[in-house]
Amino acid sequence: MTQTKEAIPKDPAKIQRIMESALHIFAQKGYRGAKTESIARVAEVSKGIVFRYYGNKAQLYLATLEFALKRVMAAADYSVWTSAVDLTDMVVKATRYKIQLQLQFPDEFELSMSAYAPSDDLPAALKTKIAKMYTQKTSDAIDMLLEPVLKRLNLRPGITIEDIQHMMDMVVTAIGQESSAFMKKHPHATIAEFDEIIDHAKRYLDILQNGFIAK
């Protein structure tokens, strides 16, 4: 009887090596540039083991993305977000902290940003699955990070948490892209050298929170 993929025994040590290898190679080469043979070689397993464990390259990419996100989430201190007095304070603190995490986990952030941003590098079906993954994680993040801050604010009638989340998502994405671009140009930069990006975050959120029309 043929075993299902779920029933295939998997060696935890091999899984860890495959994930570490795939993380670095996908982050550096992109989806299309990454070769399964290279991932297997660095992981010191056969190419057959990679396909036996993950089925195909797209499933391997999804598993690697999940691995990267879980690693960063496990290391994050969420009180940096939830203790903020308002949205501007939250994003300024969170941006500085996120940059620290980005310096600590460069491959994880590179992979997560490239997977999130629209790109012809990824097959359409894979983009759809990634979008669903991010939608769920964003929804979970609202409850955990954004809602405690919003509950301390006096929101205008008719403004919902979902409205603010969508706008926050755009701002955070823009800041993340700026940070990634800066890190590519300055791979050995320290947190102090990101002050300009942090100032941008403060200005973006000040406009989002207070508007841009003089009162």
Side-chain angles (χ1 to χ4, degrees):
M1 181 176 177
T2 303
Q3 288 181 307
T4 64
K5 188 166 64 176
E6 290 74 20
I8 294 172
K10 297 179 181 179
D11 183 337
K14 289 181 180 178
I15 290 175
Q16 184 68 25
R17 295 203 305 271
I18 292 169
M19 287 291 95
E20 296 286 357
S21 173
L23 172 61
H24 183 68
I25 292 174
F26 278 133
Q28 298 303 312
K29 301 291 186 181
Y31 178 81
R32 297 193 187 279
K35 304 300 181 185
T36 310
E37 295 90 340
S38 299
I39 292 171
R41 184 176 63 254
V42 173
E44 299 180 337
V45 299
S46 69
K47 183 179 175 181
I49 284 290
V50 175
F51 284 116
R52 186 181 177 209
Y53 281 12
Y54 298 99
N56 55 49
K57 187 177 179 181
Q59 288 300 116
L60 174 62
Y61 187 90
L62 279 174
T64 307
L65 179 58
E66 184 76 29
F67 174 79
L69 294 174
K70 284 183 177 179
R71 174 175 281 181
V72 175
M73 291 170 65
D77 176 6
Y78 295 110
S79 68
V80 174
W81 284 263
T82 57
S83 64
V85 297
D86 59 22
L87 293 180
T88 301
D89 183 46
M90 182 185 76
V91 168
V92 170
K93 287 180 178 177
T95 298
R96 187 179 294 276
Y97 181 62
K98 187 177 177 181
I99 290 169
Q100 290 177 329
L101 288 174
Q102 198 164 350
L103 293 171
Q104 184 180 354
F105 300 103
D107 284 343
E108 288 82 354
F109 273 85
E110 182 63 33
L111 178 60
S112 63
M113 289 300 297
S114 62
Y116 182 78
S119 171
D120 293 333
D121 186 53
L122 299 175
L126 182 55
K127 287 183 185 179
T128 300
K129 291 180 180 180
I130 291 171
K132 289 181 180 179
M133 177 191 294
Y134 273 111
T135 296
Q136 183 59 55
K137 290 187 180 297
T138 299
S139 177
D140 294 342
I142 293 174
D143 294 337
M144 183 171 63
L145 303 179
L146 186 58
E147 195 167 329
V149 179
L150 292 177
K151 284 182 176 178
R152 292 196 286 271
L153 303 180
N154 184 24
L155 300 182
R156 282 169 37 205
I159 301 298
T160 68
I161 289 177
E162 288 76 16
D163 294 331
I164 298 173
Q165 185 273 327
H166 286 311
M167 298 190 72
M168 287 284 293
D169 188 43
M170 289 186 284
V171 172
V172 170
T173 297
I175 295 168
Q177 290 171 342
E178 286 187 34
S179 300
S180 294
F182 185 85
M183 288 185 67
K184 286 183 179 179
K185 290 183 179 179
H186 310 279
H188 304 295
T190 64
I191 185 64
E193 295 175 79
F194 285 84
D195 283 348
E196 183 177 355
I197 294 172
I198 293 169
D199 286 341
H200 289 174
K202 185 175 181 179
R203 288 175 61 83
Y204 299 156
L205 263 294
D206 180 58
I207 293 171
L208 173 60
Q209 189 164 281
N210 300 306
F212 59 89
I213 303 298
K215 297 180 181 179

